[in-house]
Amino acid sequence: MDNLIGEYDFSFVEGDTFAGFSIRLTTKEDVDATPIPVDLTGATVQLRIQSTDKVRKRHSDLTTYNKRIVITDAADGRLSVVKQKIKLPSGIYEYSMQIKFANGDQKTYIIGNCEVLSNSTSKTY
């Protein structure tokens, strides 16, 4: 039973440095089974944050290609979205994290909403 791992929402303030996060991807054969790490050996990861506004489509791609995501322990399913600036204006966005495995298989493991909160400071650094 290899289902979607989870749905998680997060937010950050426009213009601030996003702190990032680390996760361990696991799967289960059935509900009562012990979690098994997702083997990320040779995999690439993409987390796309995109606006829900169909007229003014905006997005940001965080990937292993652009080093905004780092696989920290491939055999144990561990990866980190690194600390970084994500340049998106305030608003509500959707995101999904997709893994492309070495054998060519692709799977979306995490989805959710991302809110970029308005920054009330008027000074730009």
Side-chain angles (χ1 to χ4, degrees):
M1 182 167 136
D2 196 12
N3 293 326
L4 181 72
I5 296 296
E7 185 171 342
Y8 302 97
D9 297 338
F10 67 95
S11 62
F12 61 94
V13 177
E14 176 183 21
D16 284 3
T17 301
F18 177 63
F21 58 88
S22 295
I23 59 173
R24 179 179 185 234
L25 297 176
T26 60
T27 189
K28 291 183 177 186
E29 294 300 319
D30 60 57
V31 176
D32 297 324
T34 303
I36 303 165
V38 173
D39 188 353
L40 299 174
T41 303
T44 57
V45 182
Q46 177 183 22
L47 188 151
R48 171 168 274 200
I49 303 170
Q50 67 183 27
S51 62
T52 57
D53 180 351
K54 304 300 182 202
V55 176
R56 291 186 46 179
K57 202 71 162 165
R58 295 187 178 253
H59 73 275
S60 184
D61 287 322
L62 317 179
T63 70
T64 48
Y65 289 123
N66 63 21
K67 297 181 179 25
R68 297 173 87 180
I69 296 177
V70 176
I71 296 173
T72 55
D73 186 340
D76 199 35
R78 295 183 186 273
L79 60 90
S80 292
V81 176
V82 300
K83 179 177 163 181
Q84 61 193 283
K85 287 260 187 161
I86 300 175
K87 295 182 181 181
L88 290 171
S90 62
I92 303 293
Y93 297 81
E94 300 171 330
Y95 81 92
S96 62
M97 179 182 284
Q98 187 174 70
I99 313 296
K100 184 174 183 180
F101 295 94
N103 68 0
D105 289 352
Q106 293 186 158
K107 177 138 177 69
T108 300
Y109 278 92
I110 302 172
I111 62 171
N113 294 307
C114 171
E115 183 175 8
V116 180
L117 304 167
S118 179
N119 189 339
S120 62
T121 60
S122 60
K123 187 174 180 180
T124 304
Y125 295 96

